[in-house]
Amino acid sequence: SLILGTSITISSNHWIMAWAGLEINTLAILPLIAQSHHPRAIEAATKYFLTQAAASTLMLFSSMTNAWYTGQWDIAQLTHPTSCLILTSAIAMKLGLVPFHFWFPEVLQGSPLTTGLLLSTIMKFPPMTLFYMTSHSLNPTLLTCMAVSSAALGGWMGLNQTQIRKILAFSSISHLGWMTIIIAYNPKLTLLNFYLYILMTAATFLTLNTIKATKLSTLMTTWTKAPSLNAMLLLTLLSLAGLPPLTGFIPKWLIIQELTKQNMAPMATMISLLSLLGLFFYLRLAYCATITLPPHTTNHMKQWHINKPTNTSIAILTTVSTLLLPI
């Protein structure tokens, strides 16, 4: 159902079909969030359902307003300014852009790591395609404001977290800021950023799923389980932060270049400085994962080494998400 809903939305030209795909997607992910029957998981599923239902309704409302004024149901021909505004807020709600970001960390914290991976990658794909198709008619000032505030809040709110899933949620929000700032000027760069973000996030989530770490305190003692994988996690996290020799630097570089071409150098400077906030909590994650040893005075148990070889997909994803730029 997830694949079906996603492909319906991606391949549709009519607003009603896009809406139907998004609804199928929402309903398909709910059992995956709530599968552990833990109260936190049920709460996360309820929050997710309410926000996504509201966002889908807003999207339907914007397309109907557009059809009412222009007689046009085609996605690419969304021209009425009111419906453009409503659509921007609906997609922001779907993606978890500031100011509609509050649901995302909560939902990610309530769901298991694999579902968290689905939520932060696949579930962002249909709204991103709608964003891409309507990007020429959206309001660039509004998008820039939302983007800069997303980068800021994603950075600031992630500083104070100890739960890894929440940290990754805030990192996702700040990455979405980078994608949104450029979409009105060069939508292809948004897609490039999105694909690379999917690669790096998938590598991170799958690694964490292998070593079964969900808190910073458990991450400290897991290095004995899979030492080489943990060492590569350091590079993947720095790549997510966007440090130069690694893959994550490509989209940041190109976006800053495009923004300066559009005479938006102050905005480029601002969003680059705000990504330093993100670098801080990625470094904290990397520090807990690889650089520091737990204090040896406590008599904590050493974790057993994982005997199974590392999953091939994790190996490929980690390699790609660190080495694309040097290659």
Side-chain angles (χ1 to χ4, degrees), residues 216-217 219-221 230 283-292:
L216 286 180
S217 52
L219 192 60
M220 277 200 177
T221 55
N230 251 15
L283 273 177
R284 174 187 285 162
L285 271 174
Y287 190 77
C288 287
T290 54
I291 306 170
T292 180

Side-chain angles (χ1 to χ4, degrees), residues 2 4-6 8-10 15-29 48 52-53 55-57 59-60 87 90-91 94 123-130:
L2 267 180
L4 173 74
T6 307
I8 286 178
T9 305
I10 288 172
W15 274 113
I16 297 289
M17 287 300 287
W19 170 80
L22 286 171
E23 286 295 319
I24 293 173
N25 246 359
T26 303
L27 293 175
I29 195 85
Y48 186 76
Q52 299 299 308
S56 299
T57 317
M59 208 193 78
L60 203 55
L87 180 83
I91 288 185
K94 278 260 171 228
M123 300 304 288
K124 302 267 166 90
F125 200 43
M128 264 303 171
T129 44
L130 293 176

Side-chain angles (χ1 to χ4, degrees), residues 32-76:
L32 288 176
I33 301 175
Q35 78 193 97
S36 65
H37 299 302
H38 191 273
R40 280 300 294 270
I42 308 292
E43 181 191 350
T46 314
K47 282 176 181 169
Y48 186 76
F49 174 71
L50 291 173
T51 47
Q52 299 299 308
S56 299
T57 317
L58 270 180
M59 208 193 78
L60 203 55
F61 177 51
S62 83
S63 50
M64 283 175 75
T65 313
N66 192 55
W68 181 264
Y69 280 104
T70 61
Q72 186 58 262
W73 278 103
D74 193 359
I75 291 183

Side-chain angles (χ1 to χ4, degrees), residues 92-121:
M93 209 185 246
K94 278 260 171 228
L95 289 172
L97 271 170
V98 174
F100 307 107
H101 64 287
F102 293 102
W103 62 272
F104 189 50
E106 299 288 324
V107 170
L108 216 58
Q109 180 54 34
S111 49
L113 280 167
T114 38
T115 311
L117 171 63
L118 286 179
L119 275 173
S120 47
T121 55

Side-chain angles (χ1 to χ4, degrees), residues 60-229:
L60 203 55
F61 177 51
S62 83
S63 50
M64 283 175 75
T65 313
N66 192 55
W68 181 264
Y69 280 104
T70 61
Q72 186 58 262
W73 278 103
D74 193 359
I75 291 183
Q77 302 191 19
L78 186 85
T79 47
H80 193 257
T82 314
S83 49
C84 284
L85 275 174
I86 298 172
L87 180 83
T88 309
S89 57
I91 288 185
M93 209 185 246
K94 278 260 171 228
L95 289 172
L97 271 170
V98 174
F100 307 107
H101 64 287
F102 293 102
W103 62 272
F104 189 50
E106 299 288 324
V107 170
L108 216 58
Q109 180 54 34
S111 49
L113 280 167
T114 38
T115 311
L117 171 63
L118 286 179
L119 275 173
S120 47
T121 55
I122 310 269
M123 300 304 288
K124 302 267 166 90
F125 200 43
M128 264 303 171
T129 44
L130 293 176
F131 229 5
Y132 181 78
M133 288 160 83
T134 54
S135 59
H136 50 85
S137 51
L138 300 176
N139 179 357
T141 322
L142 176 68
L143 288 177
T144 309
C145 289
M146 285 169 85
V148 172
S149 51
S150 289
L153 279 171
W156 266 314
M157 294 172 76
L159 294 180
N160 205 15
Q161 303 296 333
T162 56
Q163 299 284 348
I164 297 175
R165 281 168 294 188
K166 275 195 177 173
I167 294 182
L168 286 170
F170 288 118
S171 98
S172 176
I173 292 170
S174 53
H175 273 276
L176 282 171
W178 278 90
M179 292 174 217
T180 315
I181 199 165
I182 201 66
I183 194 151
Y185 308 106
N186 192 344
K188 286 197 171 60
L189 275 184
T190 299
L191 282 191
L192 171 77
N193 194 344
F194 186 56
Y195 295 146
L196 292 179
Y197 161 75
I198 284 183
L199 282 177
M200 299 183 291
T201 310
T204 312
F205 266 108
L206 290 173
T207 304
L208 290 171
N209 191 41
T210 308
I211 57 180
K212 297 281 180 287
T214 51
K215 291 199 296 290
L216 286 180
S217 52
T218 53
L219 192 60
M220 277 200 177
T221 55
T222 48
W223 62 274
T224 45
K225 281 188 180 180
S228 51
L229 190 60

